Amino acid sequence: MGGDHAPDEVVKGVAQVSLATDIECLLVGDERRIQSVLEGVSYNPEHIAILHATDAIGMADEPRQAVKRRDASLVVGVRAVAEGRAQALVSAGNTGACVLACARHFRLLRGVRRAALASVYPRQREHGGQDPLALLLDVGATVRCEAEELVHFALMGSVYARRVSKVASPAIGLLNMNMGSEEMKGGEVLVEAHRRLRQLPVVNFVGNVEGNDLVRGRADVIVCEGLLGNVALKLIEGVSEVLYDVTGRAGERRVAWRLGLRLLSRGSERARALTDYTQYGGSPILGFEHVFIKCRGRSGARAVANAVKVAAKAVRDHVPREIADALAAAR
């Protein structure tokens, strides 16, 4: 039961899911507080159960120490999935603790050396029917990677985009932010990863991509080391937030600018809708035998509800098994 607005928004999101779907939800956290929130909203009790946990990991807690607290709701929830009491976990809590809890209690898929934290983000579409969202991984589960691990990330991202986002043949790009798009640039690891991906028939590899390609439609899945991915993701989010702040302040200062913004309102609303993270809810941690969807810490009820639906979809479409099959086929 983590996140900036837990437990209220998390419980409300699950309550929405219970009314709109047949997904069975297990809320993990302080039973008394959860029940108190449920009593204030509409929900279907047939689709919600509660697993009591006496502790909760804070957003600022040190992850390595935090996941040692056995009664923390995140740890209890991960164990519940590992033991078969649930099929997937959704959390808006401490990201580092989420990754480490998975590493402690979930098994990596056969052949996977390291898991990857992915992030779904909006991008420009370059042709009709293209998904408005792209997948970037890794964005924080690793710092540096070997070429083989980047290849694994490409396979994992390809499967997730195909099964969850319904992209028939996801275009895979290898992020080469500093050195250019040519295949021989980027250092030994990137050159080797490029060579291996180019030879993989099960992956639609489109080559190296640069930073400006992140928000364009050239690649549906972009692969990189965690350090680079985290910086790139924060940059995308930061630019988007600054754009809205600048636009809002301009409208407050001058009447002419306010009139101009009204003329552009339709476009602004479309941009706002495109960058609205609540519509896709959360992003996966890939490489484990179980499904884990990580929501943003500030997620409200709508984002949580959509994350639960994404998790259910990933379970229904056997994403972990599909990843294992893809890795086996690539060996």
Side-chain angles (χ1 to χ4, degrees), residues 242-318:
V242 168
L243 176 63
Y244 286 130
D245 286 347
V246 169
T247 303
R249 290 175 186 173
E252 293 172 359
R253 290 179 181 177
R254 291 194 179 183
V255 174
W257 290 353
R258 194 153 54 239
L259 291 173
L261 288 172
R262 285 184 182 176
L263 293 174
L264 294 171
S265 59
R266 181 175 295 180
S268 298
E269 287 304 314
R270 289 177 62 185
R272 186 181 295 278
L274 183 63
T275 57
D276 179 13
Y277 71 91
T278 65
Q279 65 181 308
Y280 51 84
S283 299
I285 300 175
L286 296 172
F288 293 110
E289 291 183 343
H290 303 287
V291 173
F292 191 110
I293 300 296
K294 175 68 180 70
C295 302
R296 300 192 181 204
R298 59 187 175 184
S299 291
R302 180 174 183 246
V304 171
N306 284 330
V308 171
K309 294 173 187 173
V310 168
K313 188 189 296 185
V315 170
R316 182 198 64 195
D317 290 349
H318 309 291

Side-chain angles (χ1 to χ4, degrees), residues 38-325:
L38 284 173
E39 288 172 2
V41 298
S42 297
Y43 71 102
N44 185 344
E46 294 182 359
H47 293 323
I48 294 179
I50 300 173
L51 178 59
H52 182 62
T54 58
D55 190 8
I57 295 172
M59 300 299 277
D61 288 351
E62 202 285 314
R64 291 189 184 281
Q65 294 301 317
V67 295
K68 295 177 182 176
R69 289 151 48 187
R70 290 184 54 81
D71 294 328
S73 57
L74 171 65
V75 179
V76 173
V78 170
R79 283 208 311 269
V81 174
E83 294 165 359
R85 299 179 65 181
Q87 293 175 287
L89 188 66
V90 173
S91 175
N94 184 312
T95 301
C98 289
V99 173
L100 289 175
C102 288
R104 286 170 68 98
H105 297 283
F106 290 171
R107 287 190 299 188
L108 286 168
L109 291 164
R110 186 176 176 217
V112 173
R113 292 171 46 163
R114 303 172 77 178
L117 175 62
S119 181
V120 177
Y121 68 96
R123 51 82 183 267
Q124 183 182 43
R125 287 187 286 191
E126 291 195 351
H127 57 80
Q130 192 172 30
D131 194 306
L133 303 173
L135 189 71
L136 176 68
L137 72 160
D138 172 43
V139 298
T142 67
V143 178
R144 297 294 187 189
C145 297
E146 300 296 328
E148 184 175 0
E149 291 156 358
L150 292 174
V151 172
H152 290 171
F153 295 172
L155 288 163
M156 294 192 292
S158 180
V159 168
Y160 188 83
R162 195 171 65 248
R163 301 301 298 180
V164 175
S165 302
K166 306 304 179 189
V167 181
S169 180
I172 309 296
L174 181 64
L175 185 58
N176 199 338
M177 187 166 274
N178 298 318
M179 305 301 291
S181 59
E182 294 83 357
E183 64 182 73
M184 298 307 295
K185 289 187 175 180
E188 184 178 334
V189 170
L190 289 178
V191 170
E192 176 62 13
H194 189 289
R195 185 188 68 77
R196 293 191 188 190
L197 287 168
R198 194 180 55 198
Q199 295 174 350
L200 268 182
V202 296
V203 169
N204 176 22
F205 183 52
V206 297
N208 287 343
V209 296
E210 298 183 88
N212 57 338
D213 292 316
L214 284 168
V215 292
R216 294 178 176 167
R218 186 178 170 208
D220 302 301
V221 176
I222 295 179
V223 174
C224 60
E225 296 178 322
L227 178 63
L228 179 58
N230 191 270
V231 171
L233 181 65
K234 297 300 181 187
L235 179 62
I236 293 170
E237 293 175 347
V239 169
S240 176
E241 290 172 359
V242 168
L243 176 63
Y244 286 130
D245 286 347
V246 169
T247 303
R249 290 175 186 173
E252 293 172 359
R253 290 179 181 177
R254 291 194 179 183
V255 174
W257 290 353
R258 194 153 54 239
L259 291 173
L261 288 172
R262 285 184 182 176
L263 293 174
L264 294 171
S265 59
R266 181 175 295 180
S268 298
E269 287 304 314
R270 289 177 62 185
R272 186 181 295 278
L274 183 63
T275 57
D276 179 13
Y277 71 91
T278 65
Q279 65 181 308
Y280 51 84
S283 299
I285 300 175
L286 296 172
F288 293 110
E289 291 183 343
H290 303 287
V291 173
F292 191 110
I293 300 296
K294 175 68 180 70
C295 302
R296 300 192 181 204
R298 59 187 175 184
S299 291
R302 180 174 183 246
V304 171
N306 284 330
V308 171
K309 294 173 187 173
V310 168
K313 188 189 296 185
V315 170
R316 182 198 64 195
D317 290 349
H318 309 291
V319 167
R321 191 180 73 193
E322 293 276 337
I323 290 174
D325 290 346

